[in-house]
Amino acid sequence: AGSFGSTPVVLVTNPATRAASGWGTAAPSWLAALDGTHPLAVPELETNSAGMLGMQALWQVGGKKAPAERRLAAALLRSGRSAVPTEGEALRAVAKGATGQPLVVTSERAMLAVNAASARPDLVAVFPSEGSPALDYPVYRVAPEARTASQGAGVDAVVAALTGAEGLAAARAAYLRSPDGSAPPAGAGGRVVRMPSPGAVEQGRFLVRLASIAKPSRVLVVVDVSESMRAAVPGTGLSRVQVAGKAAATAGDLLTDASSVGLWVFAVNLDGGAPYAKVAAVRPLGTALGGRTHRQVLVSSLLGLDERLAPGGTGLYRTARDAVRAAREEFDPRAVNTVVLMTDGTDEFGGGLTREQLVRTLTVEAGSAPDRPVRLVGIGIGPSADLGALRAMVAPTGGKAYRAETPAELRQVLLDVLARRG
């Protein structure tokens, strides 16, 4: 029957942070504002429509395809590091802080409500240059055919009050704009550009991706430490194993403390005849371990992988099978469970599995445990990596195989792994 009011989705921070960013005079784009340079908070993402629409705006402006999904993943993963329990708590914390506070993805109405409780306007809105999605407050008549004449007249009177001048005044008192975005309440900015909404099919696809990316991660990282990983990566001054370790440490920095990560290394006969060794168990990154966090232990291990290089070949197939089995045994139904395997070669483990045996085993075991899906992701580092073998290995698990020749490509691949988890 109409709308009671509306409020735009904005990026909220305090005046000092906005001034330091240079956004007081020139509005940033959604891509620039959420590029990872600035801390980000998206409180109550699973239930807060403003947060969902803000993330949708980033995805929409980014082109709605794979690059946009990687940006979305990076933003969500970073926001998890600074997230707070509720929208109100997030806004009040930013209001009290100094320069460098997070950008809170929220509604103008929520910002104005917090400002109204303060003696001075502690919060300001950043309106991205492409426009803002809007939250609408619609008025619906429910089952009008079931009403008597007098009931219908009563409903008409209420609808008229809500959608007329009286309703507009009440909406402004509740920190809302008029339905078309004009007539801003006290303390709000001027008219804002409303970003068009995607169609229903696109919006449904976005929500599926959002739900997948927003879930916690449970990742077992498995890195090749055979002697060939000592080879230099042109133009970097680093070896292949150093590039792998640095890229994994950088990607892991995006994960929240609630995400769980572990580390194996593999070559040939590393541990009692097995081609792999377990360096760190899969546990939450924020876990305290003897004065350090699990995150710190992992980063130290990843940056020291060159000290673990071992002579001989690569036990690729046996390692992949046992890593997927280990991940399935410790499966977490609340998280996305993934094994990420990085190698520069092919299988050279005498007495190990053949490719066909591995594929058949992974297929059978995945089919027998459909309620515990573990995705295997293979990353070939350098030109000698057997991409055909990696593709065959990951197929039974619904995973994907990549080739990365440079550090920049490897970082991009790892971010793609975090973005494409469903």
Side-chain angles (χ1 to χ4, degrees):
S3 180
F4 177 67
S6 68
T7 187
V9 174
V10 293
L11 305 174
V12 175
T13 189
N14 59 29
T17 300
R18 185 177 70 171
S21 302
W23 296 340
T25 55
S29 68
W30 281 97
L31 299 180
L34 304 184
D35 66 355
T37 305
H38 309 275
L40 180 66
V42 191
E44 304 170 297
L45 178 63
E46 294 81 4
T47 57
N48 190 310
S49 297
M52 291 184 188
L53 283 175
M55 294 299 96
Q56 181 178 278
L58 175 64
W59 172 80
Q60 190 174 346
V61 170
K64 307 176 188 175
K65 296 182 180 179
E69 292 184 355
R70 287 193 288 269
R71 291 189 182 97
L72 176 65
L76 284 174
L77 293 167
R78 288 187 180 97
S79 73
R81 298 291 295 278
S82 58
V84 290
T86 69
E87 182 179 58
E89 289 171 346
L91 291 171
R92 287 189 289 274
V94 169
K96 294 176 182 177
T99 304
Q101 291 301 302
L103 296 170
V104 183
V105 183
T106 185
S107 67
E108 182 184 65
R109 187 215 62 80
M111 178 198 74
L112 293 175
V114 172
N115 276 346
S118 174
R120 58 189 175 86
D122 300 303
L123 297 170
V124 292
V126 175
F127 294 88
S129 56
E130 298 92 348
S132 297
L135 290 170
D136 184 46
Y137 290 73
V139 179
Y140 284 97
R141 283 188 174 90
V142 181
E145 70 283 352
R147 308 292 178 213
T148 65
S150 60
Q151 289 172 337
V155 171
D156 289 343
V158 173
V159 169
L162 289 174
T163 58
E166 193 177 357
L168 177 58
R172 293 183 68 192
Y175 315 115
L176 296 174
R177 294 172 177 255
S178 61
D180 65 358
S182 61
R191 189 177 183 91
V192 298
V193 176
R194 181 171 293 191
M195 179 178 286
S197 178
V201 173
E202 284 188 328
Q203 196 160 52
R205 182 162 59 90
F206 164 77
L207 290 172
V208 169
R209 300 302 310 132
L210 182 70
S212 172
I213 296 170
K215 290 181 70 174
S217 296
R218 185 176 180 86
V219 184
L220 175 57
V221 180
V222 185
V223 183
D224 187 346
V225 291
S226 60
E227 189 65 27
S228 60
M229 289 287 282
R230 194 185 299 276
V233 176
T236 67
L238 300 172
S239 65
R240 290 173 182 168
V241 76
Q242 288 174 323
V243 166
K246 285 180 177 292
T250 301
D253 189 53
L254 297 176
L255 296 173
T256 70
D257 285 347
S259 292
S260 299
V261 183
L263 176 64
W264 289 12
V265 295
F266 71 102
V268 173
N269 298 328
L270 287 186
D271 188 4
Y276 55 84
K278 302 176 182 180
V279 178
V282 179
R283 54 169 59 96
L285 290 170
T287 304
L289 298 169
R292 295 197 296 170
T293 65
H294 184 54
R295 184 190 299 276
Q296 291 170 324
V297 171
L298 272 175
V299 169
S300 177
S301 297
L302 287 166
L303 297 183
L305 286 176
D306 53 327
E307 299 174 4
R308 295 180 177 272
L309 290 171
T314 306
L316 181 61
Y317 298 152
R318 166 88 180 274
T319 300
R321 183 199 67 185
D322 290 1
V324 171
R325 283 179 173 176
R328 187 168 285 119
E329 287 173 3
E330 299 181 350
F331 183 82
D332 183 353
R334 300 163 299 178
V336 177
N337 296 253
T338 308
V339 174
V340 178
L341 185 149
M342 293 185 273
T343 182
D344 72 339
T346 189
D347 187 77
E348 302 164 316
F349 185 49
L353 295 170
T354 65
R355 182 191 303 186
E356 292 72 21
Q357 289 171 331
L358 172 64
V359 170
R360 185 164 56 250
T361 298
L362 291 178
T363 301
V364 170
E365 293 181 355
S368 64
D371 58 331
R372 289 179 290 157
V374 174
R375 191 176 60 138
L376 174 62
V377 174
I379 303 176
I381 301 175
S384 58
D386 189 345
L387 201 61
L390 292 177
R391 287 173 177 153
M393 290 162 49
V394 304
T397 71
K400 188 173 180 180
Y402 301 82
R403 185 188 298 280
E405 305 284 352
T406 68
E409 289 175 352
L410 184 53
R411 285 192 295 271
Q412 189 79 345
V413 163
L414 289 170
L415 184 54
D416 196 63
V417 170
L418 295 176
R420 296 177 173 272
R421 304 188 302 165

